[in-house]
Structure formats: structure tokens, C-alpha cells
Amino acid sequence: MQSFTLRPADWEDLPAFKHIARTTLTEDISALFDPNKLLEDKKVGFEYIMAAEQNGEVVGFCCRYACRDADTPYCAEIFSLCVLPKAQHSGIGRAFVEDALAILYISGFKICKVWLPAGNRRAREFFEAAGFTRDGTSRVVQCGEAPHLFYRYEHPLTRPDKKYYRS
């Protein structure tokens, strides 16, 4: 397994993020999960986006912040998690989820949500393996020309490892 580093994102990462989104997501869905658009719209700041580096190259990103759904008080959300195919199965996705769950817990949230395309079996299996379960909510989102069904998953937030606390 190759080593990697997770770090806060910065402006220099944006071209890599756009490439990663276009490479890992279907064309019509990639615009929904593009962190560049979130930053441009000032919906989130860099403190909510992590980048993964492997051999000096940005190979993944994860956006996490307060859940946008009105029915989810005290909930956070992993809005987007994308890793280039060549870096998948190296532990980056798992590290992103662990980081997000720990930071969101420390920030005072009680539950973490994630919306997953019904047609993306790999993503659903990945998040299920990380302890997420479907909460029974679904929605259809118009992406380009086609409607896409999404399922909402959740994970209760619990106290993280000590490695997330400063000494």
C-alpha cells in the first residue's frame, strides 16, 4: 500500500479537484460534487475541504460540513468524497471518512449524513463498510438531462481516537 497524506485544501488544489471530479463521477453528476463550485458560491471555506496527496500529486478530496437538509438538526454531511482510480484501495477513502467523523464530532455534531447515487453500488458498499446505514430518505435530483435517485445514509458520531486531540 502506498503512503499518502491528508491535509487542508488550498487554492492551488482546485485544478486537481476539478480533474478528480470529472474522472471519478459521471459527467452529469460531477457538477453537483465539485468543491470549486462550493468555494465560488461561498457556501463553504477551505477549512471544510481536505486533500489527499500521494507521491506529490493531489489524488483525492473530501468536503464535510453542516448538513443542508432541513430535517436534520445537529447533523453534518460528507458532501463529496472522490479519489482517483489509481489511488483507490490505498486507504485514502477510509482515512477521509475517519477524519471527517472525528472532526465533525469534535465540532459538536451528533450524526453524519451522506447522499449517494442509487446507481453507484461501489460508493454505497464503501460507506456501508464504514458503518453508514440508509436512513430511509431518498430524493430525485435533476443532473443535466437525466434525473438521478439518491439515498441518504447516516453514521452516529462518537468520540474519536486521541490522535485528533491536541496535547
Side-chain angles (χ1 to χ4, degrees):
M1 188 180 308
Q2 290 185 331
S3 65
F4 59 87
T5 303
L6 298 187
R7 61 166 176 76
D10 59 40
W11 286 108
E12 288 77 37
D13 296 325
L14 295 184
F17 289 170
K18 186 166 287 227
H19 168 71
I20 293 164
R22 287 183 177 157
T23 302
T24 60
L25 301 168
T26 62
E27 186 175 322
D28 53 351
I29 293 180
S30 66
L32 290 177
F33 296 94
D34 186 352
N36 301 309
K37 181 82 171 114
L38 292 173
L39 290 163
E40 290 167 9
D41 292 347
K42 307 251 186 290
K43 291 181 181 171
V44 300
F46 278 115
E47 66 271 22
Y48 300 104
I49 305 174
M50 296 297 288
E53 278 190 13
Q54 196 172 58
N55 301 321
E57 177 187 5
V58 176
V59 295
F61 64 85
C62 181
C63 304
R64 69 243 190 315
Y65 56 96
C67 190
R68 301 161 292 155
D69 301 332
D71 67 332
T72 57
Y74 309 108
C75 290
E77 180 176 6
I78 294 177
F79 180 74
S80 183
L81 191 162
C82 296
V83 177
L84 286 174
K86 68 182 180 181
Q88 291 176 3
H89 306 289
S90 64
I92 292 172
R94 190 174 327 111
F96 273 145
V97 170
E98 289 174 4
D99 174 75
L101 296 177
I103 295 302
L104 295 169
Y105 172 84
I106 292 168
S107 299
F109 294 102
K110 305 297 182 207
I111 296 173
C112 180
K113 304 279 187 174
V114 63
W115 283 97
L116 300 172
N120 190 336
R121 182 182 52 80
R122 288 183 64 209
R124 291 192 334 270
E125 289 175 353
F126 170 80
F127 279 97
E128 288 168 359
F132 284 77
T133 57
R134 278 186 57 190
D135 74 359
T137 305
S138 63
R139 69 179 174 201
V140 175
V141 177
Q142 191 71 28
C143 304
E145 299 289 320
H148 291 272
L149 176 63
F150 286 78
Y151 298 133
R152 190 170 69 187
Y153 285 71
E154 66 182 12
H155 190 295
L157 296 174
T158 57
R159 185 179 174 89
D161 268 343
K162 288 184 179 181
K163 68 180 179 177
Y164 289 97
Y165 291 97
R166 296 181 185 199
S167 45

